Amino acid sequence: FHKLGLHPIKIEESASLSDYDIAVFSPNLDYTDYYHDNDGYEGKSLYNKSSSARILEDTKHWNKEISNFLKSGKTLFVNLKHKEDFYVYSGQKTFSGTGKSRQPTYHVQSHSNYDFLPYDGNVHNAKGRILNVANNLISSFYNDFKDYINYEAYVDSQEVTILFTTRNKDRVLGCYKKVSTGYLIFIPYLDFNVKSLIDEDKETGEENWNSKAIQIGKRFAKSLVDFDTAIRKDIDKTPKPKWADSGVFNLKDAEKTKKEIEANTSKIRSLETKNRELNEVLVEQESLKDLLFESGKPLEQAVIKALKILGYQAESYDDGTLELDQVILSPEKIRFIGECEGRDNKDIDIGKFRQLLDSLNEDFEREEIDEKALGLLFGNPMRLVEPQKRGIGFTTKCIKGAQREKIGLVKTFDLYKVCKKILEEEDDVYKASCRNSIFEQLGNVIEFPDS
């Protein structure tokens, strides 16, 4: 891919598109590391809890990333793979029964491979090979790659410029439309994973693209750029056919310019690689900010990261029956159970508090546990409101319950502030005083020391 000037990004990567002007999205989950539950749900695939959480997080990431990409005036090609409907665990659960007979019910929600896109293209499945070219802008593209097109889906969308239809012109197999200041382009499914383009190393069994594949790949990358240029000119101009780039028609000055462009492109690729590495570091560094505005699994993971910064050992726990947001052990060997909740426009109420009590009791019932853990309720109330404008963050019932049961109430905004101070000042004494504040203020909303 890198030989072609292309930079593949997996759906599971929280990568940025800000370094690119053109991107191709292929909603193919066959090559991901998401795993199914064996039983499925209502006749469709059901991804396991871990994969479900990742799918929901990745969907949220790509919705935002692609929206910003198009708002920046850039172009996204969508390779119309067949639509795959499935189910994921929503992260919500309810309980039935009491004590040892208490059982959780995990809720699921429908999802599809096209939910990774922020715009509903109304994609439907239909397979075939015969296409009608409906726009001269795409004719050269079709002639170059028709041997690799097997359409798997069509688009039922209004206010689009049609590129391809079925033979009888009743379904749209390719089209484009302007979204914000960018372009969203649907093209029929291209599959280059064919034997004629792959060579196998007889000694290692490793498969690699052959020279023909490299040529086709370069032409494909150039065709995307040409097509993007053509639609931006807003004229019905045919992209340059490949024979026009053969040696007999080449111009000396143009060839010199091409070499300069290639040299600059090489430098750009090196910088892009460095930026991708830096972006990965940045995503990890900035994940602590989830304490300010997140809910669900992202908030749970951010709390675990914050607790580790404070010097605790912390991890989530799930044995199939009992699921705990955080199991926490301090350097002083004090054990806690943590529960997290983020609310959009409300304070944390008694419901989440009651769930923490149940978790503490169920944890204590485990054979390997000799002493009941202490409880911490991490709340991100009114999470979409600027932190300084939020109130106490916990309802009166929740606060009274905490006083009665000696549960610590921690606002994740406050947790963020102390972690920021610790990371920037590397003060182990302050770190210990924060842990001491949590222990000494059990039964209250925790107030961390200023220094």
Side-chain angles (χ1 to χ4, degrees), residues 58-71 116 118 293:
D58 293 338
T59 298
K60 181 178 177 181
H61 168 80
W62 288 116
N63 276 202
K64 182 177 180 181
E65 196 65 35
I66 291 171
S67 293
N68 289 336
F69 184 73
L70 293 171
K71 285 178 183 176
F116 289 93
F293 55 83

Side-chain angles (χ1 to χ4, degrees), residues 2-5 7 265-273:
H2 295 287
K3 290 180 180 178
L4 308 179
H7 303 279
T265 300
S266 178
K267 295 176 183 177
I268 291 169
R269 286 175 190 162
S270 176
L271 289 172
E272 286 174 346
T273 299

Side-chain angles (χ1 to χ4, degrees), residues 250-267:
N250 287 347
L251 300 167
K252 288 184 178 180
D253 287 345
E255 290 303 300
K256 181 180 178 182
T257 302
K258 285 180 183 178
K259 289 180 179 179
E260 291 181 6
I261 291 172
E262 288 174 0
N264 289 337
T265 300
S266 178
K267 295 176 183 177

Side-chain angles (χ1 to χ4, degrees), residues 407-418:
I407 299 292
L409 304 179
V410 182
K411 288 188 285 187
T412 57
F413 168 57
D414 293 339
L415 192 59
Y416 174 80
K417 288 192 297 183
V418 299

Side-chain angles (χ1 to χ4, degrees), residues 236-412:
D236 193 18
K237 186 178 184 305
T238 303
K240 182 172 56 176
K242 61 183 178 182
W243 52 260
D245 276 331
S246 62
V248 67
F249 297 112
N250 287 347
L251 300 167
K252 288 184 178 180
D253 287 345
E255 290 303 300
K256 181 180 178 182
T257 302
K258 285 180 183 178
K259 289 180 179 179
E260 291 181 6
I261 291 172
E262 288 174 0
N264 289 337
T265 300
S266 178
K267 295 176 183 177
I268 291 169
R269 286 175 190 162
S270 176
L271 289 172
E272 286 174 346
T273 299
K274 182 63 176 178
N275 274 346
R276 281 196 300 274
E277 294 171 355
L278 290 173
N279 273 321
E280 291 176 5
V281 173
L282 180 61
V283 167
E284 174 59 26
Q285 291 171 334
E286 293 248 288
S287 63
L288 192 66
K289 285 187 177 179
D290 288 350
L291 293 170
L292 302 175
F293 55 83
E294 272 293 6
S295 63
K297 289 292 182 182
L299 180 63
E300 293 172 18
Q301 293 302 314
V303 168
I304 288 175
K305 181 172 183 174
L307 290 168
K308 290 179 178 178
I309 290 171
L310 284 172
Y312 294 98
Q313 296 177 37
E315 61 183 1
S316 58
Y317 177 85
D318 186 357
D319 63 5
T321 301
L322 176 61
E323 185 176 354
L324 304 171
D325 289 353
Q326 290 93 19
V327 177
I328 308 156
L329 183 65
S330 75
E332 298 77 23
K333 304 305 177 185
I334 302 171
R335 189 169 178 273
F336 302 85
I337 297 297
E339 190 75 36
C340 291
E341 183 170 43
R343 301 292 296 273
D344 290 358
N345 297 297
K346 295 181 180 180
D347 288 337
I348 309 302
D349 61 22
I350 196 67
K352 182 57 65 171
F353 177 82
R354 185 171 56 248
Q355 187 174 326
L356 174 57
L357 291 181
D358 291 338
S359 295
L360 287 166
N361 290 326
E362 290 181 60
D363 174 71
F364 188 43
E365 289 177 2
R366 293 161 56 201
E367 290 185 7
E368 64 270 29
I369 302 302
D370 298 323
E371 185 176 351
K372 190 172 183 179
L374 302 172
L376 295 175
L377 179 55
F378 297 95
N380 193 13
M382 304 184 72
R383 65 189 183 92
L384 303 179
V385 177
E386 193 174 343
Q388 292 85 347
K389 297 178 181 179
R390 303 175 192 178
I392 295 175
F394 299 91
T395 64
T396 301
K397 281 188 176 181
C398 192
I399 292 173
K400 288 183 176 179
Q403 291 171 345
R404 184 179 63 252
E405 301 292 339
K406 297 299 180 184
I407 299 292
L409 304 179
V410 182
K411 288 188 285 187
T412 57

Side-chain angles (χ1 to χ4, degrees), residues 41-56:
Y41 182 77
E42 292 190 347
K44 296 181 180 179
S45 298
L46 170 64
Y47 284 89
N48 65 28
K49 292 173 191 170
S50 175
S51 291
S52 293
R54 290 169 57 204
I55 288 171
L56 293 176

Side-chain angles (χ1 to χ4, degrees), residues 76 135 137 158-163 172 174-178 183-186 227 230-232 234-235:
L76 181 74
N135 192 307
L137 288 173
Q158 304 297 319
E159 299 180 358
V160 298
T161 301
I162 297 174
L163 301 173
V172 177
C175 62
Y176 73 88
K177 65 177 179 179
K178 196 165 187 178
Y183 286 93
L184 181 63
I185 305 172
F186 294 93
F227 184 68
I231 62 174
R232 288 176 184 277
D234 200 27
I235 56 174

